[in-house]
Amino acid sequence: MEKELLTEMRIREIAYSPYDHNNCSSKEASLIAKEVLSLRDSLRWISIDEVMPKDETTVIVRNAGGVPWIADVDHGQFYPDEFPVDRMSPGEVTHWMRFPE
């Protein structure tokens, strides 16, 4: 299935113009909604209880206090980027996020 894209100019035109049902087709509105949902899903904090990131990836993590840092994932374990040989303690990471594309 080919991914359909609206130009950035068209999205801004739709987003910043006064509402007019003739200005935006239902197909364009559907594409915008799908893109917003996709971005929201890709840029949210994900609980480690929900799903773990794939091995051999680098992600942004945070602890229960909300402190973020960068970590590498290997065999289901998080390794802080600045100390790659030291595995983080179990329970230290509560959430993770993908890097924006």
Side-chain angles (χ1 to χ4, degrees):
M1 182 173 158
E2 185 178 318
K3 184 176 179 179
E4 296 183 60
L5 296 174
L6 296 175
T7 65
E8 183 176 347
M9 182 182 288
R10 179 64 180 139
I11 292 170
R12 288 181 186 282
E13 178 183 308
I14 293 167
Y16 293 110
S17 64
Y19 179 73
D20 176 359
H21 68 278
N22 293 320
N23 184 39
C24 178
S25 72
S26 59
K27 183 176 181 178
E28 288 176 321
S30 176
L31 288 171
I32 291 170
K34 287 176 186 175
E35 183 67 20
V36 168
L37 291 174
S38 174
L39 286 171
R40 186 169 54 182
D41 281 345
S42 69
L43 297 176
R44 70 179 179 93
W45 287 109
I46 302 167
S47 169
I48 60 166
D49 295 331
E50 183 181 336
V51 65
M52 287 290 288
K54 293 179 183 177
D55 281 344
E56 299 180 13
T57 59
T58 302
V59 294
I60 305 167
V61 297
R62 76 173 192 200
N63 63 15
V67 177
W69 64 91
I70 297 170
D72 296 317
V73 183
D74 189 35
H75 294 91
Q77 299 291 321
F78 294 98
Y79 294 83
D81 207 31
E82 61 272 2
F83 303 106
V85 295
D86 295 331
R87 174 177 67 173
M88 292 179 182
S89 303
E92 187 174 359
V93 173
T94 60
H95 292 78
W96 65 277
M97 178 188 294
R98 294 175 184 89
F99 276 96
E101 293 179 11

